[in-house]
């Protein structure tokens, strides 16, 4: 089945610990994104990648890091510098439809809930 | 900077009633895209509809319909004859076409929680 997978579903972090959230897609999409969602809030962009080996900071990149070594994979590391990491993390991917009036739609994975112990 | 506002935080209806969700956006671009996503209790965001700024035609797709009006910068979404399975949080989102390639950022509204009671 084609889609976006995120693992783990739940992740617990201890103080001072770095943790990595996995995001994999087999849709052959070029772009991938990481969002953070706090309870009762909308989504905020952390990092995004338009192509392999390239990524840009979103609106709330501090305390996070990413890599894009393969087209299918875009892991997110929550570092110890992120003081309030408890949130729901969503990964998305998209592809350009092409043409003069091209469009793209972001499709989302099931998410990872990160909790601090 | 782009901005999306969903003024309704929560709507409660009885099954079979219609539900209209409001969305107002701000953008300086002339080419942009508007989206509606559904987030059921499981958490995954499900894409529902997309509208391009150069196409104001309003459409109906099953029980979903939308009303896009550039003059008022609004992109409202209606669920007709609501069902319990429609209970979810609905997000409106805006994407400016900064590049003609994948990787254009989405800006989300705060979401509207819809509760459909049997």
């Amino acid at each position: 089945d084609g889609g976006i997978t995120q693992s783990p579903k739940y992740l617990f972090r201890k103080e001072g610990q770095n943790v990595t959230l996995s995001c994999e897609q087999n849709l052959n999409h070029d772009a991938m994104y990481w969002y953070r969602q706090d309870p009762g809030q909308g989504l905020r962009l952390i990092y995004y990648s338009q192509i392999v080996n390239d990524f840009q900071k979103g609106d709330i990149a501090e305390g996070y890091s990413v890599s894009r070594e393969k087209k299918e994979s875009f892991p997110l590391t929550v570092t110890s510098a992120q003081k309030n990491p408890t949130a729901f993390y969503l990964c998305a991917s998209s592809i350009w439809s092409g043409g003069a009036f091209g469009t793209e739609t972001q499709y989302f994975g099931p998410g990872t809930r990160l909790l601090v112990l | 900077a782009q901005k999306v506002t969903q003024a309704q935080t929560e709507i409660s209806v009885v099954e079979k009633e219609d539900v209209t969700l409001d969305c107002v956006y701000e953008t300086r671009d002339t080419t942009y895209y508007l989206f509606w996503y559904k987030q059921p209790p499981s958490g995954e965001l499900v894409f529902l509809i997309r509208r391009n700024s150069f196409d104001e035609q309003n459409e109906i797709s099953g029980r979903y319909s939308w009303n896009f009006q550039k003059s008022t910068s609004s992109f409202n979404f209606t669920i007709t004859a609501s069902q319990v399975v429609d209970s979810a949080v609905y997000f409106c989102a805006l994407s400016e076409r900064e590049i003609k390639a994948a990787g254009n950022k989405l800006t989300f509204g705060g979401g509207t929680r819809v509760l459909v009671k049997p």
Side-chain angles (χ1 to χ4, degrees):
Chain A
D1 284 351
I4 303 169
T5 57
Q6 291 186 242
S7 63
K9 188 173 182 179
Y10 295 95
L11 185 57
F12 299 92
R13 194 191 91 163
K14 296 179 181 178
E15 292 288 340
Q17 186 181 42
N18 291 355
V19 292
T20 298
L21 285 61
S22 169
C23 178
E24 304 275 334
Q25 55 97 2
N26 61 4
L27 302 168
N28 199 34
H29 284 180
D30 296 309
M32 297 186 74
Y33 313 78
W34 274 105
Y35 293 90
R36 169 179 172 144
Q37 185 180 28
D38 292 288
Q41 305 288 319
L43 280 71
R44 292 183 291 168
L45 183 63
I46 305 172
Y47 268 99
Y48 64 107
S49 168
Q50 295 167 334
I51 56 172
V52 176
N53 293 322
D54 185 54
F55 50 83
Q56 287 90 42
K57 293 181 179 180
D59 301 318
I60 55 166
E62 186 174 350
Y64 301 97
S65 66
V66 294
S67 63
R68 186 90 186 274
E69 298 175 0
K70 297 186 298 182
K71 188 174 185 178
E72 318 82 73
S73 179
F74 191 40
L76 173 73
T77 296
V78 184
T79 73
S80 57
Q82 173 50 243
K83 297 307 179 187
N84 185 22
T86 296
F88 186 50
Y89 291 86
L90 286 156
C91 177
S93 69
S94 68
I95 191 167
W96 185 250
S97 65
F101 298 99
T103 60
E104 66 176 311
T105 296
Q106 291 186 23
Y107 295 92
F108 286 79
T112 292
R113 291 193 186 278
L114 176 60
L115 299 169
V116 177
L117 296 176
Chain B
Q2 51 191 5
K3 184 180 179 181
V4 177
T5 302
Q6 295 179 251
Q8 306 150 306
T9 55
E10 186 167 323
I11 299 175
S12 182
V13 297
V14 176
E15 205 168 19
K16 298 184 182 177
E17 288 183 346
D18 296 348
V19 181
T20 295
L21 308 180
D22 298 332
C23 174
V24 175
Y25 62 91
E26 295 176 25
T27 178
R28 298 178 191 172
D29 271 16
T30 56
T31 302
Y32 53 90
Y33 307 93
L34 295 161
F35 303 81
W36 277 99
Y37 285 89
K38 174 183 179 181
Q39 187 176 41
S42 61
E44 181 174 351
L45 254 70
V46 178
F47 165 69
L48 296 177
I49 55 175
R50 179 188 68 221
R51 210 69 202 149
N52 307 330
S53 58
F54 43 85
D55 183 1
E56 285 190 75
Q57 183 177 358
N58 295 313
E59 294 186 15
I60 297 174
S61 176
R63 294 188 299 110
Y64 298 154
S65 63
W66 50 96
N67 185 353
F68 175 33
Q69 292 192 349
K70 287 178 75 172
S71 60
T72 56
S73 296
S74 65
F75 184 51
N76 298 337
F77 175 65
T78 297
I79 304 171
T80 302
S82 61
Q83 302 174 1
V84 173
V85 293
D86 295 325
S87 296
V89 180
Y90 290 81
F91 290 96
C92 180
L94 165 70
S95 174
E96 295 173 343
R97 196 175 69 176
E98 298 174 29
I99 56 172
K100 289 185 180 180
N104 292 287
K105 294 179 286 184
L106 271 179
T107 297
F108 285 85
T112 298
R113 180 176 300 278
V114 174
L115 178 60
V116 181
K117 301 175 182 177

